[in-house]
Amino acid sequence: MESKREIFQTMMKRFGLLNKNSCMVGGLEITLVQSHILYEIDKRPSPSMQEVAETLGIDISTFSRQIQTLAKMNLVQKTPSSSDKRIFLLTLTTEGKFVAGAVNESMEQHLDEIFSHLSPFEQETVLHSMRVLNEAMAKSVVCCKPILK
């Protein structure tokens, strides 16, 4: 019988989560971490750097370097808050919105293709099980605990 670790390891390999690059969009190589950052910025209006870093469970210094890279790629804009100049707010540029949308569409197509090999009942069972696992991970003392919204 496969161990829990073996099942997760196989799933991560098959899903491509161990690959360095998530995808290519318009000639830009977007890493998995960068795609997660773009997704989280796109989900909310002008979030702070701290808010997105905490949501993703990334320490602020590592996150700040990622934001610098995304700003150099002209995907993210960092603006000081009008109420507190120590806080920086993040927005996607027009190009950033395009890239975030392209990555999201690619992921949706990838997941749709994977789920197409399951019956509707199996699809719902898998999604339900993933929700239950996410809730258990949020309660665990050994898992990263990003903010759930």
Side-chain angles (χ1 to χ4, degrees):
M1 186 167 147
E2 285 180 291
S3 69
K4 290 182 279 285
R5 167 78 191 265
E6 184 64 27
I7 293 168
F8 270 95
Q9 190 74 10
T10 301
M11 190 170 64
M12 295 300 114
K13 288 188 289 190
R14 287 191 176 140
F15 202 69
L17 296 179
L18 302 178
N19 297 346
K20 179 181 181 268
N21 295 314
S22 177
C23 62
M24 290 285 291
V25 178
L28 295 173
E29 289 185 43
I30 306 298
T31 67
L32 186 61
V33 170
Q34 290 168 344
S35 72
H36 285 294
I37 292 169
L38 294 173
Y39 177 80
E40 291 299 331
I41 294 171
D42 197 32
K43 274 181 26 177
R44 45 180 72 81
S46 302
S48 70
M49 284 186 58
Q50 189 69 37
E51 179 184 352
V52 178
E54 286 176 4
T55 298
L56 292 171
I58 302 173
D59 73 90
I60 195 68
S61 60
T62 301
F63 184 77
S64 184
R65 286 190 295 276
Q66 290 290 336
I67 292 300
Q68 285 178 326
T69 300
L70 290 168
K72 286 178 187 172
M73 296 167 78
N74 194 34
L75 301 179
V76 172
Q77 188 170 33
K78 184 173 104 171
T79 310
S81 168
S82 58
S83 61
D84 186 342
K85 300 295 181 199
R86 297 170 298 171
I87 297 173
F88 287 92
L89 305 178
L90 302 172
T91 54
L92 296 181
T93 63
T94 301
E95 189 174 351
K97 288 179 185 180
F98 171 79
V99 169
V103 170
N104 191 49
E105 180 64 27
S106 175
M107 288 301 299
E108 287 291 333
Q109 289 174 359
H110 188 70
L111 290 167
D112 285 347
E113 196 284 326
I114 291 168
F115 274 69
S116 75
H117 301 281
L118 302 172
S119 71
F121 175 77
E122 289 169 328
Q123 290 178 27
E124 189 51 46
T125 300
V126 168
L127 290 173
H128 175 74
S129 297
M130 290 171 70
R131 287 184 200 101
V132 170
L133 182 61
N134 275 329
E135 290 172 13
M137 290 171 74
K139 296 173 187 172
S140 172
V141 296
V142 295
C143 287
C144 172
K145 293 186 180 183
I147 297 170
L148 301 175
K149 294 198 177 198

